[in-house]
């Protein structure tokens, strides 16, 4: 059924009269112009040659001059063909009778030596000599005429001095053109039969004439020629001045039979039954269309002046439907789309090319399309010495859209040619009976409006008719035709498919990223493939933008689903907007009539996950972990959201959960418990029950997951993050690497190690890890807890710097045992609270790797102390300035304020001499007893070496002055002051 429809989709233009547009161009025109007088006239064909042209309209002859002006002839009627000579014209009517008009000085009228010759100079006269014959083809030379009858006989008359009449005269070897008597001897006043030499009679069917030569075609497709052939126009394989009798044209053996010929001044165009174009004859102006050839001497492009036998015009792009030659120019119409091509001499602008940018319009050596007629279907064209004419019939080539819903109202564009602005334009839609494949007798009509493509000027390029589709009750095929005057409809028509509007049920997925084009499936009923399907995404609110994408029909996998068809398309990519964007989805099977998906909106987002807060969570055997926040942008609430957690190194095992929407920048989800992790590792199909004992005995304490997020349940966002789940750290699981005491001024860098974490998590984890410092005994000191970030330096090891504690803001009890001195209040109330200097303050260091979960079981102790100060150094000797001095092995006592035993008490010794101040510092172990630091002076080799380099002149014993400082935390922090000590040694 569809094949039958397609075979009728585009009817070929028939030979009947048609309305349309007539175009003219030439020497007095700067552009191709439309002859508006012909818009309401039906045109059968165009004929022209030399300086004359005419239009055949329903059997009438309408003459055209170089300006396109018209002159109706009321004498002739029912004319089928017209031909023009230099000074005379011939016409044949539907009965096969010949009519003639013009000058008959060379007998070209065929009226003999009668008075009727004078009458023919004023009006059309019938050639009575051939009244008994039915003429089917005729042609005029410059001053001779040829006619072919229904029986295939060829008659010629007129001037025969160059042999163009095909009759052998008494002296036909030479005709003295300057001798009037000799010329009269070779003038045929009445039609005379031409004998074609052949083994058997070959009836002729067609004829064409040049100025002084004649060509006829036999019914077997064999061309014959005679007359003047100085330029090779006879195509007999040689140049000859006179060929008085018919000679067979050297038609190529590889070509099919010849179907048509047309003649210019001295060149010929022809095409065979395969619509291939051939040419021969004079080629000085490129009228043969053979292009340029390369000269062997200087490698320059030159043109071949003569071609003495038919050659294929390979430069013509397509098949030939019609050809015409006049003067030194050629024209042909392409069969595929009716496009007109011209080439040859551009004199008098007869090619219609005018001054195209970058193109030579004087002489064109290859077929070139006429710019003003591109995308128009030319059915007839003719060239003259002064210009050319082309007729574009009103024809419908295709419809946009080619499918429409039965409810009507759709805007339909019928593209074609031969349209113009007309108030009486009507479009007729005729339904096709599906049973008989015949057109029904009751069509429906719509008013049409002339339109041109956007940006194109009126009168150039393709044109169309816009109309509204009428309503139909059933799905079927209809044919569309156009009548510019409201009554004469185009013989060509296009088929339009009618369909019921679809019903849309669902869309999958319900959201997509705006940066990537993802597959989108729209499910519904009554969906069909039209090759024009479009899907529209229209923004709700905002700027009300819309995005239209192409789509295709696809089948669903579930064959039991009653909605077994769907539309597949790509989601639009959007760069700007207030995301997320809610859009209403609609489908148009024909690309224009959209049907909206109700109760469902589609979301276009640029959602991105940036981080997790926190990026780790502790696990308890019997409780569910606290929620984790996903931080990002452009989130929205969707019941299709899902978090996928995949164990690092084991992509086959995963955990899915649905996150909770908090706001557009935050989502929250609950990580899996220990039992769920164990079940995930064992496999979802495992029937073993995971017990608390199994969890407690598990050696692994840390699990690293890769987190991915999908908002639509189908496509994951591009970025993935790591999430570490670990068993809760217990007492003894924390190992201090550095000293756990420091001054109130802060800045002590401490390191904590968690060997408990196994296997070691990735370094990018634990970005939320913090420590909290708070007083160990809240009864003796009241201070707000301080939280400091932990930095992961390497696997399992974290570091931080102690914050500054403002001693003036600490409120302590006067009953505290840790005070060195308590200043009594002015009122003597010992139970009151007041600000005091601090000797020591014990702080609990509580660790929360996830930044939230603190506990005493994962804490250690840090002691703050006031800034210590050195007040006195006691040694066995003193110099004159009362500076203590000591040699190696001597006990030294250092007195001061704020000293106490930490187990990490150190004495720091460094040179006081400027050149050696930055030399190696000596850190000596010491002990603190009752606030006094004691140590034994070691041997300081550095100063011995320095003395040997610069030995003293008179002293046997040497000394070197040192700066002494105390550190209570192993050298990390020192006293606020220092004192001198002389180091005694022997040189």
């Amino acid at each position: 059924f569809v094949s039958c429809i397609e075979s009728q989709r585009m009817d070929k233009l028939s030979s009947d009269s048609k309305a349309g547009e007539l175009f003219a161009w030439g020497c007095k025109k700067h552009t191709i112009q439309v002859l508006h007088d012909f818009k309401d006239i039906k045109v059968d064909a165009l004929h022209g040659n030399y300086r004359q042209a005419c239009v055949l309209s329903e059997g009438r002859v309408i003459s055209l001059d170089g300006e396109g002006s018209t002159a109706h002839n009321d004498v002739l009627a029912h004319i089928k063909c017209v031909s023009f000579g230099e000074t005379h014209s011939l016409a044949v009517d539907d009965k096969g009778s010949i009519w003639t008009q013009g000058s008959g000085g060379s007998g070209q009228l065929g009226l003999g030596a009668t008075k009727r010759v004078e009458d023919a100079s004023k009006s059309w006269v019938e050639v009575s000599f051939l009244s008994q014959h039915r003429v089917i083809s005729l042609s005029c030379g410059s001053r001779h005429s040829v006619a072919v009858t229904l029986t295939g006989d060829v008659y010629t008359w007129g001037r025969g001095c160059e042999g163009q009449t095909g009759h052998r005269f008494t002296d036909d070897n030479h005709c003295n053109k300057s001798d009037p008597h000799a010329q009269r001897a070779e003038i045929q006043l009445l039609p005379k039969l031409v004998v074609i030499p052949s083994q058997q009679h070959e009836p002729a069917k067609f004829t064409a004439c040049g100025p002084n030569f004649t060509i006829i075609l036999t019914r077997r497709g064999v061309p014959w020629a005679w007359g003047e052939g100085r330029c090779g126009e006879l195509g007999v394989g040689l140049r000859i001045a006179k060929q008085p009798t018919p000679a067979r044209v050297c038609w190529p053996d590889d070509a099919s039979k010849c179907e048509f010929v047309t003649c210019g001044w001295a060149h010929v165009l022809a095409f065979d039954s395969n619509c291939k174009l051939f040419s021969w004859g004079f080629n000085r102006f490129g009228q043969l269309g053979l292009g340029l050839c390369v000269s062997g001497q200087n490698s320059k492009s030159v043109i071949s002046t003569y071609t003495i036998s038919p050659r294929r015009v390979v430069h013509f792009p397509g098949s030939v439907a019609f050809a015409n030659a006049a003067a030194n120019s050629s024209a042909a119409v392409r069969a595929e789309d009716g496009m007109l091509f011209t080439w040859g001499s551009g004199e008098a602008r007869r090619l219609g090319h005018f001054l195209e940018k970058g193109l030579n319009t004087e002489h064109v050596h290859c077929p070139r399309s006429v710019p003003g007629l591109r995308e128009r279907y030319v059915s007839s064209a003719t060239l003259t010495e002064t210009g050319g004419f082309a007729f574009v019939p009103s024809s419908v080539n295709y419809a946009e859209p080619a499918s429409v819903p039965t409810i009507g109202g759709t805007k339909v564009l019928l593209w074609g040619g031969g349209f113009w602005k007309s108030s009486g334009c009507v479009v007729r839609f005729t339904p096709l009976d599906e049973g008989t494949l015949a057109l029904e007798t009751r069509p429906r009509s719509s008013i049409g409006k002339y339109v041109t493509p956007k940006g194109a000027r009126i009168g150039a390029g393709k044109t169309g008719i816009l109309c509204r589709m009428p309503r139909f009750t059933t799905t079927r095929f209809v044919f569309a035709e156009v009548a510019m005057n409201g009554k004469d409809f185009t013989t060509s028509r296009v088929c339009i498919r009618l369909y019921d509007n679809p019903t849309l049920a669902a869309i999958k997925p319900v959201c997509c990223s705006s940066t990537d084009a993802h597959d989108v499936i729209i499910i519904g009923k009554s969906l069909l493939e039209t090759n024009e399907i479009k899907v529209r995404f229209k923004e709700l609110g905002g700027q009300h933008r819309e995005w239209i994408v192409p789509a295709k029909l696809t089948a669903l996998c579930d064959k039991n689903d009653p909605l077994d068809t769907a539309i597949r398309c790509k989601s639009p990519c959007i760069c700007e907007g207030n995301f997320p964007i809610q859009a209403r989805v609609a489908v148009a099977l024909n690309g224009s009539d959209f049907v909206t998906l109700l109760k469902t909106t589609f979301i276009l987002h640029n959602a991105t996950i940036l981080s997790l807060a926190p990026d780790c969570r502790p696990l308890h055997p019997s409780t569910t972990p606290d929620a984790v926040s996903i931080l990002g942008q452009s989130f929205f609430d969707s019941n299709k959201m899902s978090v996928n957690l995949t164990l690092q190194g084991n992509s086959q095992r995963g955990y899915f959960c649905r996150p909770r929407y908090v706001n557009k920048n935050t989502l929250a989800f609950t990580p899996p418990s220990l039992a769920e992790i164990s079940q995930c590792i064992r496999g979802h199909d495992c029937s073993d029950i995971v017990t608390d004992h199994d969890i407690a005995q598990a050696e692994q304490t840390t699990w690293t997951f890769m987190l991915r997020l999908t908002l639509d349940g189908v496509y994951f966002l591009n970025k993935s993050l790591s999430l570490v789940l670990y068993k809760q750290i217990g007492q003894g699981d924390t190992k201090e690497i550095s000293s756990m005491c420091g001054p109130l001024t802060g800045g002590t860098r401490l390191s904590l190690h968690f060997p408990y974490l196994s296997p070691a998590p990735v370094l990018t984890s634990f970005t939320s890890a913090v420590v909290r410092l708070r007083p160990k005994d809240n009864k003796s000191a009241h201070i707000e807890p301080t939280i400091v970030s932990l930095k992961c330096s390497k696997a399992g090891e974290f570091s931080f710097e102690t914050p500054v504690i403002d001693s003036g803001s600490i409120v302590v009890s006067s009953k505290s045992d840790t005070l060195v001195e308590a200043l009594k209040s002015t009122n003597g109330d010992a139970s009151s609270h007041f600000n005091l200097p601090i000797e020591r303050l014990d702080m609990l260091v509580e660790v929360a790797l996830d930044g939230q979960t603190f506990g005493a079981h994962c804490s250690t102790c840090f002691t703050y102390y006031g800034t210590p100060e050195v007040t006195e150094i006691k040694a066995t000797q003193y110099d004159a300035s009362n500076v203590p001095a000591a040699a190696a092995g001597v006990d030294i006592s250092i007195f001061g304020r704020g000293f106490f035993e930490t187990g990490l008490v150190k004495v720091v010794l460094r040179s006081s001499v400027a050149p050696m101040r930055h030399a190696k510092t000596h850190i000596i172990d010491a002990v603190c007893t009752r606030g006094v630091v004691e140590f034994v002076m070691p041997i300081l080799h550095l100063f011995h070496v320095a003395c040997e380099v610069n030995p003293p002149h008179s002293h046997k014993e040497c000394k070197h002055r040192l700066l002494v400082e105390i550190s209570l935390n192993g050298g990390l922090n020192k006293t606020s002051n220092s004192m001198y000590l002389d180091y005694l040694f022997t040189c």
Side-chain angles (χ1 to χ4, degrees):
F1 174 75
V2 175
S3 299
C4 294
I5 294 297
E6 291 301 324
S7 65
Q8 301 179 47
R9 189 174 185 273
M10 278 294 296
D11 292 348
K12 289 189 177 294
L13 296 174
S14 66
S15 59
D16 298 332
S17 299
K18 297 170 287 290
E21 289 182 299
L22 183 61
F23 295 86
W25 62 91
C27 58
K28 296 184 179 180
K29 300 178 181 65
H30 297 283
T31 59
I32 294 180
Q33 298 178 359
V34 179
L35 303 183
H36 298 281
D37 292 343
F38 285 86
K39 286 187 175 179
D40 292 326
I41 297 177
K42 287 187 175 183
V43 175
D44 299 333
L46 298 176
H47 297 281
N49 205 350
Y50 298 96
R51 292 179 175 270
Q52 301 183 73
C54 72
V55 172
L56 286 185
S57 174
E58 298 181 294
R60 296 176 302 151
V61 178
I62 305 175
S63 299
L64 296 168
D65 61 13
E67 296 294 324
S69 302
T70 63
H72 293 261
N73 189 289
D74 298 328
V75 176
L76 297 179
H78 309 293
I79 299 301
K80 291 295 183 182
C81 180
V82 177
S83 181
F84 296 101
E86 188 173 2
T87 59
H88 74 295
S89 305
L90 293 178
V92 60
D93 59 21
D94 57 355
K95 297 180 180 180
S97 300
I98 294 182
W99 298 76
T100 185
Q101 182 190 37
S103 173
S106 298
Q108 61 266 43
L109 300 181
L111 301 177
T114 64
K115 187 180 179 181
R116 300 180 65 199
V117 175
E118 297 180 3
D119 298 335
S121 63
K122 302 176 183 179
S123 180
W124 290 89
V125 177
E126 183 180 2
V127 181
S128 58
F129 186 83
L130 294 176
S131 60
Q132 302 300 318
H133 300 276
R134 185 179 181 88
V135 176
I136 61 173
S137 177
L138 57 80
S139 182
C140 296
S142 176
R143 297 185 181 183
H144 77 286
S145 305
V146 183
V148 177
T149 65
L150 184 62
T151 58
D153 295 327
V154 179
Y155 290 87
T156 62
W157 61 94
R159 176 186 173 91
C161 187
E162 291 80 17
Q164 58 265 49
T165 56
H167 305 300
R168 187 178 294 277
F169 294 95
T170 304
D171 184 10
D172 52 9
N173 292 324
H174 176 73
C175 177
N176 187 356
K177 298 181 180 181
S178 62
D179 186 358
H181 297 287
Q183 292 184 27
R184 284 195 294 269
E186 296 194 2
I187 289 178
Q188 182 65 39
L189 298 178
L190 294 173
K192 183 178 180 180
L193 181 66
V194 177
V195 178
I196 299 177
S198 178
Q199 294 179 354
Q200 58 182 3
H201 176 64
E202 289 188 51
K205 67 173 184 179
F206 187 79
T207 183
C209 294
N212 295 319
F213 66 98
T214 302
I215 296 180
I216 63 105
L217 279 179
T218 67
R219 293 178 184 176
R220 292 173 56 191
V222 179
W224 293 79
W226 57 88
E228 185 177 6
R230 299 177 185 272
C231 298
E233 57 264 46
L234 298 184
V236 295
L238 72 161
R239 295 166 58 193
I240 185 172
K242 180 179 181 181
Q243 175 63 41
T245 57
R248 186 164 180 166
V249 176
C250 300
W251 190 249
D253 295 335
D254 58 348
S256 59
K257 66 178 183 178
C258 186
E259 287 290 339
F260 180 84
V261 293
T262 180
C263 301
W265 279 347
H267 76 286
V268 180
L269 299 179
F271 59 84
D272 62 8
S273 57
N274 291 329
C275 300
K276 295 179 181 178
L277 186 63
F278 295 83
S279 63
W280 62 92
F282 191 50
N283 192 38
R284 180 179 178 182
F285 306 104
Q287 56 263 49
L288 299 186
L290 302 177
L292 300 174
C293 60
V294 179
S295 173
Q297 296 179 352
N298 50 18
S299 299
K300 291 184 177 180
S301 297
V302 297
I303 189 170
S304 177
T305 307
Y306 306 100
T307 299
I308 59 178
S309 59
R311 288 181 56 185
R312 170 83 185 281
V313 184
V314 296
H315 297 291
F316 188 82
S319 302
V320 179
F322 173 79
N324 179 257
N328 289 319
S329 305
S330 302
V333 173
R334 186 162 61 187
E336 288 82 355
D337 54 7
M339 186 177 293
L340 178 64
F341 293 78
T342 58
W343 62 96
S345 173
E347 183 182 358
R349 299 176 180 171
R350 68 172 72 101
L351 299 181
H353 294 160
F354 301 98
L355 295 177
E356 282 193 282
K357 185 177 180 180
L359 296 177
N360 178 17
T361 58
E362 182 180 2
H363 302 312
V364 179
H365 302 99
C366 294
R368 184 189 298 170
S369 61
V370 179
L373 297 175
R374 289 169 186 163
E375 299 188 12
R376 295 181 183 270
Y377 196 106
V378 176
S379 65
S380 182
T382 186
L383 299 179
T384 66
E385 295 179 5
T386 58
F389 299 89
F391 177 67
V392 178
S394 298
S395 61
V396 183
N397 298 334
Y398 62 96
E400 289 183 356
S403 303
V404 295
T406 56
I407 59 175
T410 302
K411 288 184 178 181
V412 178
L413 264 171
L414 301 176
W415 293 108
F419 301 145
W420 62 89
K421 285 187 177 180
S422 172
S423 59
C425 180
V426 174
V427 180
R428 181 172 65 188
F429 299 92
T430 307
L432 184 72
D433 188 284
E434 298 182 7
T436 62
L437 301 183
L439 297 179
E440 295 184 358
T441 57
R442 289 181 290 181
R444 300 183 182 182
S445 300
S446 178
I447 297 175
K449 178 183 178 181
Y450 175 79
V451 295
T452 57
K454 187 176 181 179
R457 63 182 180 86
I458 297 178
K462 69 178 182 180
T463 57
I465 298 297
L466 177 66
C467 66
R468 292 276 185 179
M469 190 72 184
R471 182 184 180 90
F472 288 87
T473 56
T474 59
T475 58
R476 56 175 62 188
F477 292 90
V478 296
F479 282 103
E481 304 158 295
V482 176
M484 299 306 298
N485 57 7
K487 58 181 180 179
D488 298 314
F489 288 92
T490 55
T491 55
S492 63
R493 53 179 178 255
V494 293
C495 183
I496 299 177
R497 184 179 189 177
L498 300 177
Y499 63 85
D500 288 329
N501 262 339
T503 302
L504 306 182
I507 184 171
K508 297 180 181 179
V510 295
C511 58
C512 277
S513 171
S514 63
T515 58
D516 299 315
H518 295 293
D519 283 336
V520 176
I521 302 294
I522 304 169
I523 306 171
K525 294 181 180 179
S526 302
L527 299 174
L528 54 92
E529 182 59 73
T530 62
N531 296 322
E532 299 176 307
I533 303 177
K534 296 287 189 298
V535 176
R536 181 183 67 194
F537 299 84
K538 190 170 184 179
E539 182 179 12
L540 296 178
Q543 303 177 28
H544 299 284
R545 296 171 295 175
E546 62 180 43
W547 303 270
I548 298 177
V549 296
K552 290 288 185 181
L553 186 71
T554 186
L556 296 179
C557 298
D558 188 2
K559 296 183 179 180
N560 297 323
D561 193 336
L563 303 174
D564 57 350
T565 56
I567 298 297
R568 181 188 298 271
C569 69
K570 292 290 187 180
S571 61
C573 294
I574 306 170
C575 299
E576 299 178 352
N578 186 19
F579 294 99
I581 297 174
Q582 287 190 332
R584 187 73 70 184
V585 179
V587 173
L589 297 182
N590 61 355
S592 60
D593 293 285
F594 287 94
V595 177
T596 303
L597 174 63
L598 302 176
K599 300 181 181 179
T600 302
T601 57
F602 188 82
I603 297 179
L604 292 161
H605 62 84
N606 63 344
T608 303
I609 55 176
L610 302 176
S611 61
L612 298 179
D615 59 359
C616 60
R617 274 299 190 199
L619 298 174
H620 303 276
S622 58
T623 60
T624 302
D626 294 334
V628 174
S629 296
I630 304 175
L631 305 182
Q633 63 182 19
S634 191
F635 294 149
F636 56 92
D637 195 6
S638 169
N639 57 6
K640 300 292 184 180
M641 288 191 298
S642 178
V643 170
N644 172 236
L645 295 174
T646 305
L647 274 171
Q648 190 176 34
N650 190 357
S651 59
Q652 302 299 323
R653 303 300 186 190
Y655 173 80
F656 288 89
C657 63
R658 186 181 183 280
R660 176 174 54 87
Y661 176 77
V662 180
N663 54 51
K664 66 184 301 183
N665 297 320
T666 308
L667 300 177
F669 73 97
T670 302
S673 63
L674 272 172
E676 290 171 326
I677 292 177
S678 300
Q679 191 70 33
C680 177
I681 295 174
R682 295 186 181 191
H684 294 285
D685 55 348
C686 180
S687 59
D688 296 339
I689 299 176
V690 181
T691 64
D692 292 344
H693 178 74
D694 296 332
I695 298 172
Q697 295 299 318
E699 295 182 0
Q700 185 172 349
T701 60
T702 306
W703 295 269
T704 301
F705 290 88
M706 298 308 296
L707 180 144
R708 295 188 301 165
L709 174 66
T710 173
L711 299 177
D712 53 33
V714 179
Y715 300 106
F716 288 97
L717 301 186
N718 293 334
K719 189 175 182 180
S720 60
L721 300 174
S722 61
L723 172 68
V724 176
L725 300 179
Y726 58 93
K727 286 186 180 180
Q728 179 64 55
I729 301 174
Q731 190 69 32
D733 294 329
T734 304
K735 180 180 179 182
E736 302 89 355
I737 299 177
S738 55
S739 173
M740 295 304 290
C741 62
L744 292 171
T745 55
T748 304
R749 188 169 186 84
L750 303 178
S751 295
L752 301 175
H753 185 59
F754 300 98
Y756 172 79
L757 299 177
S758 174
V762 295
L763 293 179
T764 55
S765 305
F766 302 109
T767 57
S768 303
V770 296
V771 293
R772 182 175 63 186
L773 290 87
R774 64 180 179 85
K776 186 176 181 180
D777 185 4
N778 287 328
K779 293 182 179 180
S780 59
H782 300 277
I783 182 174
E784 291 297 326
T786 304
I787 295 178
V788 182
S789 297
L790 273 175
K791 295 182 180 180
C792 185
S793 57
K794 59 183 179 179
E797 185 174 315
F798 301 84
S799 62
F800 71 99
E801 289 187 356
T802 58
V804 177
I805 300 296
D806 184 5
S807 60
S809 64
I810 301 176
V811 179
V812 298
S813 172
S814 60
K815 299 178 181 180
S816 173
D817 296 333
T818 61
L819 300 179
V820 175
E821 182 181 359
L823 298 178
K824 295 182 180 181
S825 61
T826 56
N827 57 10
D829 187 358
S831 62
S832 64
H833 295 77
F834 36 92
N835 297 333
L836 295 173
I838 298 299
E839 180 188 45
R840 292 192 304 274
L841 180 62
D842 292 332
M843 303 287 284
L844 285 178
V845 179
E846 298 176 323
V847 179
L849 295 181
D850 61 353
Q852 298 175 2
T853 309
F854 296 97
H857 52 275
C858 59
S859 62
T860 185
C861 187
F862 180 83
T863 301
Y864 273 107
Y865 53 80
T867 305
E869 182 180 357
V870 178
T871 58
E872 182 184 1
I873 299 177
K874 288 187 177 182
T876 57
Q877 300 181 31
Y878 293 88
D879 63 1
S881 58
N882 202 27
V883 174
V890 175
D891 291 334
I892 300 176
S893 299
I894 303 175
F895 294 84
R897 288 188 291 271
F899 295 161
F900 65 97
E901 181 57 48
T902 65
L904 294 173
V905 178
K906 304 290 182 182
V907 175
V908 181
L909 304 176
R910 55 192 177 92
S911 174
S912 64
V913 181
M916 302 182 65
R917 187 165 296 170
H918 300 290
K920 181 179 179 181
T921 300
H922 294 270
I923 299 178
I924 312 302
D925 292 332
V927 295
C928 181
T929 304
R930 297 180 181 180
V932 178
V933 176
E934 297 175 344
F935 74 102
V936 177
M937 176 64 74
I939 299 174
L940 304 178
H941 296 284
L942 176 64
F943 305 126
H944 288 269
V945 173
C947 188
E948 291 174 359
V949 174
N950 300 295
H953 297 286
S954 60
H955 298 285
K956 184 177 180 180
E957 290 188 358
C958 297
K959 66 178 181 180
H960 193 95
R961 183 154 292 180
L962 302 175
L963 289 175
V964 180
E965 297 169 311
I966 303 298
S967 173
L968 300 180
N969 57 1
L972 296 179
N973 302 97
K974 305 176 185 65
T975 51
S976 60
N977 68 326
S978 60
M979 296 191 71
Y980 292 118
L981 173 65
D982 288 338
Y983 171 60
L984 303 178
F985 59 96
T986 302
C987 294

